[in-house]
Amino acid sequence: MSSSRTHRGGLLSRLVGKLRGALWPIPALGVLLAIVLGTTLPELDQHWATREHPLTFAFGGGASAARDLLAAIAGSLISVTGVTFSLTVVALQLSSSQYTPRLLQTFVTDRVVQLTLAQLVLTFVYALTVLRTVRAESATEDDSAFVPRLSITVGYLLTLGSVLGLVLFLGHLSRLLRVETMLRDVHDEATQTVARELDEPGGAARDTGGHRGGGPPVPLVARSSGFLVGVDEGAAVRAAREAGVVVELAVRIGDSVVEGTPVAHARSLSPGGEPDTETLEKALDRSFQLHYERTPDRDLSYGLRKVVDICVRALSPGTNDPTTAVHALSHASALLGRFAECPVEPRTCRDEEQRVRLVVPPWELPELLQLAIEEPLQFAEGQPTVLRRLAGLLREFAWRAQGRGVDDLVCGYVDSVAERALTSTEVTEAETRAWRQKVRQALAGSWPADVG
């Protein structure tokens, strides 16, 4: 099979996607490392127990002091870990209610958060593991005292590192909760998705013709519900090849799939052929990667969706923060411009004989522009700075989308912005005429030297 990207779909990619979007994998590795260190280092200490310890800076106290130190490390770290992340969750809940709950997904995948949690639980588990090896001298038995000096020293150093990591984490958290940082992270995430989906060298077959079969389209209904976050293209192509059809999806990556409704159409390659719809529907159900929430891995519109959510929340009466809305629209403008420079043709996947078997629809440029403009325009009433930024966004988009067939749509939106400004703000008619003129000049490839 030849497809645009051979790594898509499959059990491995699903597993990698779940691990990448989860908070626990790195902390779990920290626990395993702690157990390994906590069992191997005492063995090394046991080797040095009958001779002079080669490390002069190693712990020099007795068994009682060792137990007290390790117990203090374990008890304090588990308390600090619980309190820190409880306060963090509360802060993130407040932040998500003010901006958008979809930003919690960005927090969970933040590497600093994962590494900090891993360091804290590593030190805690390590201290408990080493504590069980400390032995006091017995008066009735011939068991001699054993104090793992190197292991305790390592535990002390890990504790110092945990304290330093906690301080750095609190500083990182204070930056993470700022809306500017959130917008930057969402923008970077969306840019990486575009790079993976549209800019990958050698990526393939994107064409608009030659993939339709000869038979009439037969609808294929979904057998499960959820958001489409990926497609196992190899499995879908094999199923289409066995049925002798071309499968054209009716949903894009990121769209909602509802059980019992058509999600694709099958066209037989031979006129008059009748595909086995039940078999194809079962194969599509297995190849679809459905999730209860959208993910940024392959969804080109998801980053823009989150930026627009932040903008709309900022314009709500309870928040009333036009400055944040303007910042969000600037990020939306940059993302739209990035989309305008990329191809938006359907992605086609071929079998071993180079016949197209699967067609995945793209996010079209007009749909992305609608996503960025429609809701902010609706809630921007009485906000002249936001309306001016919307006009600027359309001008910037018009400049980067020349020749992409969106001229009428862009002109229609700038007219709507101008009408909304005239009916609800102190913006003058002369200013709105200037907005229209600048957008039309940008569509024609002209950007006058005047400021603004």
Side-chain angles (χ1 to χ4, degrees):
M1 183 200 75
S2 172
S3 80
S4 58
R5 303 207 189 6
T6 56
H7 66 271
R8 300 204 192 284
L11 180 61
L12 180 60
S13 66
R14 295 188 191 192
L15 179 61
V16 170
K18 289 182 179 180
L19 292 179
R20 186 164 50 191
L23 179 63
W24 62 267
I26 293 181
L29 290 176
V31 172
L32 294 177
L33 179 61
I35 295 174
V36 172
L37 289 176
T39 54
T40 56
L41 287 181
E43 292 294 330
L44 187 59
D45 276 306
Q46 186 72 44
H47 175 71
W48 285 334
T50 57
R51 64 197 74 180
E52 184 179 356
H53 205 288
L55 301 178
T56 57
F57 61 84
F59 178 77
S64 178
R67 284 190 176 131
D68 291 342
L69 178 60
L70 291 173
I73 290 174
S76 61
L77 275 177
I78 196 62
S79 300
V80 168
T81 302
V83 171
T84 299
F85 280 87
S86 296
L87 294 175
T88 299
V89 169
V90 172
L92 287 171
Q93 287 177 338
L94 294 174
S95 176
S96 66
S97 64
Q98 185 175 0
Y99 302 119
T100 171
R102 277 155 289 282
L103 290 175
L104 288 177
Q105 191 180 63
T106 304
F107 168 78
V108 169
T109 57
D110 186 273
R111 284 290 178 262
V112 175
V113 175
Q114 294 176 342
L115 290 173
T116 301
L117 181 57
Q119 185 176 21
L120 293 175
V121 298
L122 183 152
T123 307
F124 166 72
V125 174
Y126 175 83
L128 285 183
T129 307
V130 174
L131 180 61
R132 56 189 286 276
T133 66
V134 180
R135 297 193 306 270
E137 186 173 1
S138 174
T140 57
E141 302 290 339
D142 56 357
D143 290 341
S144 59
F146 174 63
V147 179
R149 304 185 186 281
L150 175 61
S151 303
I152 296 173
T153 304
V154 171
Y156 172 74
L157 295 176
L158 287 175
T159 304
L160 294 181
S162 297
V163 173
L164 178 60
L166 179 61
V167 173
L168 296 177
F169 169 74
L170 293 175
H172 176 76
L173 182 63
S174 66
R175 293 191 301 272
L176 187 66
L177 294 178
R178 294 171 54 192
V179 66
E180 291 84 359
T181 305
M182 294 179 183
L183 285 168
R184 180 205 64 191
D185 292 343
V186 172
H187 190 156
D188 292 343
E189 182 182 77
T191 302
Q192 292 170 8
T193 302
V194 172
R196 285 195 304 268
E197 292 297 303
L198 301 179
D199 294 344
E200 185 174 314
R206 295 178 176 272
D207 52 38
T208 57
H211 57 258
R212 296 188 181 275
V218 178
L220 304 175
V221 301
R223 300 199 169 209
S224 304
S225 298
F227 289 103
L228 182 63
V229 300
V231 180
D232 185 346
E233 296 175 352
V237 167
R238 286 192 295 271
R241 184 175 184 274
E242 291 173 2
V245 299
V246 176
V247 175
E248 300 176 358
L249 298 188
V251 291
R252 302 157 300 192
I253 303 297
D255 280 339
S256 176
V257 173
V258 178
E259 183 180 0
T261 60
V263 291
H265 291 87
R267 293 178 181 269
S268 177
L269 292 178
S270 58
E274 189 69 25
D276 184 354
T277 57
E278 184 176 359
T279 302
L280 280 173
E281 288 171 357
K282 290 180 179 179
L284 275 183
D285 185 62
R286 290 191 297 269
S287 64
F288 277 4
Q289 298 172 17
L290 301 179
H291 204 252
Y292 64 90
E293 65 176 343
R294 297 170 69 178
T295 64
D297 294 338
R298 295 188 55 190
D299 190 346
L300 292 174
S301 69
Y302 191 40
L304 186 60
R305 173 74 270 173
K306 289 193 277 189
V307 170
V308 171
D309 283 349
I310 295 174
C311 177
V312 171
R313 288 291 183 95
L315 293 174
S316 66
T319 305
N320 194 23
D321 184 7
T323 301
T324 294
V326 169
H327 289 177
L329 289 174
S330 296
H331 285 277
S333 177
L335 291 176
L336 282 173
R338 190 76 177 84
F339 293 135
E341 296 174 348
C342 298
V344 292
E345 294 82 8
R347 187 177 68 253
T348 57
C349 304
R350 304 172 184 271
D351 60 16
E352 292 84 352
E353 300 173 353
Q354 296 304 306
R355 289 182 177 178
V356 173
R357 294 294 183 178
L358 177 67
V359 181
V360 183
W363 280 92
E364 302 284 352
L365 202 53
E367 297 165 336
L368 295 170
L369 180 61
Q370 181 184 21
L371 172 61
I373 296 293
E374 198 169 55
E375 292 179 19
L377 179 60
Q378 179 182 356
F379 294 99
E381 184 174 355
Q383 301 287 353
T385 56
V386 179
L387 291 167
R388 290 188 179 99
R389 189 64 192 93
L390 281 169
L393 181 153
L394 289 167
R395 186 189 187 194
E396 293 155 359
F397 176 77
W399 176 263
R400 301 183 72 175
Q402 297 172 38
R404 296 298 301 273
V406 293
D407 295 22
D408 293 340
L409 183 62
V410 174
C411 291
Y413 274 129
V414 75
D415 289 341
S416 299
V417 173
E419 291 171 5
R420 182 63 60 90
L422 288 174
T423 58
S424 61
T425 69
E426 299 299 324
V427 176
T428 64
E429 187 173 352
E431 186 175 358
T432 60
R433 284 199 302 269
W435 294 350
R436 293 185 176 99
Q437 181 183 7
K438 288 178 180 180
V439 167
R440 287 170 172 78
Q441 287 173 337
L443 288 170
S446 174
W447 193 286
D450 60 299
V451 179

